[in-house]
Amino acid sequence: MRPSPLTTLLTAERDGERCAGPVLMAGFVVGFGVIELATGALNQTSRFSLQLLVLLVLQLIGPILVSVLAMALLLPRWLERVVQQGQRAWRQSVPAAGLVGLLLMMLFFVGAIVGGVLVTPRADLLRETTDLLSGIRLLDLLRTLARSGVFLSCICAWCQWRALTALRSGRSEALIVSNLLVEGLMLALALKLVWVLVFNTLIS
């Protein structure tokens, strides 16, 4: 029996609540660190520093960092659902993971912008920040959100499939979680590579 859309939304809400704080804080730290480095050690202008931050978050590190952090926080819940529901667990977890990945990416982006703005030199800060945000293409933002959702959904499906196999072989849950953390990280890197080599090539 397939879970109802309401069940999926409730699952996504609970999983999102678990991840929202750490992801928002990670975004803040990334934004603060990048701007501090660019304006301080590299002596770049605030406009260039903010542009660099947006590029890093939207194109390079955002989706993969959000996916890996969410995976680390949600693995115990994914495993618990496998224990309770068996091979049907993915029907609840994977769609919810897609929604959670999308929303967490938005939180990460907001946190990074806020962290970057707080450490940016104050000269023309408001105008530069407004110009920067107005220059972000909606399509680029939507692609990044979608990429984060796809990444986390794929990682969730892989982890639950591997967890089911490991449970049937009698492995302890602690060992399963430890192994899946490594496998999930490798899968996230592989998904990033596939996206760059395949998807970006097709749309360019």
Side-chain angles (χ1 to χ4, degrees):
M1 181 178 178
R2 295 180 62 86
S4 66
L6 180 59
T7 300
T8 300
L9 290 175
L10 290 175
T11 302
E13 180 183 10
R14 290 193 296 268
D15 290 351
E17 288 175 351
R18 178 175 177 82
C19 301
V23 167
L24 190 61
M25 181 60 66
F28 182 89
V29 170
V30 168
F32 190 95
V34 169
I35 299 302
E36 178 69 21
L37 176 64
T39 58
L42 301 181
N43 198 29
Q44 298 295 326
T45 64
S46 57
R47 178 184 292 271
F48 175 83
S49 301
L50 289 171
Q51 290 174 342
L52 176 62
L53 174 62
V54 170
L55 176 64
L56 287 173
V57 171
L58 293 185
Q59 302 295 334
L60 297 177
I61 66 171
I64 190 170
L65 185 57
V66 167
S67 299
V68 170
L69 182 55
M71 174 198 66
L73 293 168
L74 294 177
L75 257 178
R77 291 190 177 184
W78 293 345
L79 180 59
E80 180 182 4
R81 290 173 195 150
V82 172
V83 172
Q84 295 174 349
Q85 304 175 28
Q87 61 184 1
R88 298 189 303 274
W90 70 270
R91 297 178 181 178
Q92 177 181 351
S93 297
V94 173
L99 294 175
V100 170
L102 186 151
L103 295 175
L104 291 180
M105 184 61 230
M106 179 60 74
L107 283 178
F108 184 83
F109 179 69
V110 171
I113 293 298
V114 171
V117 165
L118 289 180
V119 74
T120 300
R122 293 301 188 261
D124 295 327
L125 174 60
L126 180 59
R127 180 177 60 82
E128 292 182 2
T129 304
T130 302
D131 291 344
L132 173 71
L133 294 177
S134 64
I136 297 175
R137 296 194 305 170
L138 179 60
L139 183 58
D140 291 339
L141 179 59
L142 292 177
R143 284 176 182 169
T144 301
L145 298 179
R147 186 159 72 248
S148 183
V150 169
F151 283 9
L152 191 57
S153 292
C154 292
I155 293 171
C156 176
W158 172 268
C159 288
Q160 291 202 313
W161 173 67
R162 291 285 291 157
L164 182 62
T165 303
L167 286 171
R168 287 174 175 173
S169 66
R171 296 179 186 175
S172 67
E173 295 185 10
L175 179 60
I176 293 173
V177 170
S178 177
N179 291 339
L180 287 179
L181 284 173
V182 177
E183 293 181 10
L185 175 59
M186 298 304 296
L187 179 60
L189 295 173
L191 289 170
K192 172 66 174 179
L193 183 61
V194 169
W195 190 281
V196 170
L197 296 180
V198 178
F199 185 80
N200 285 351
T201 301
L202 291 177
I203 65 176
S204 60

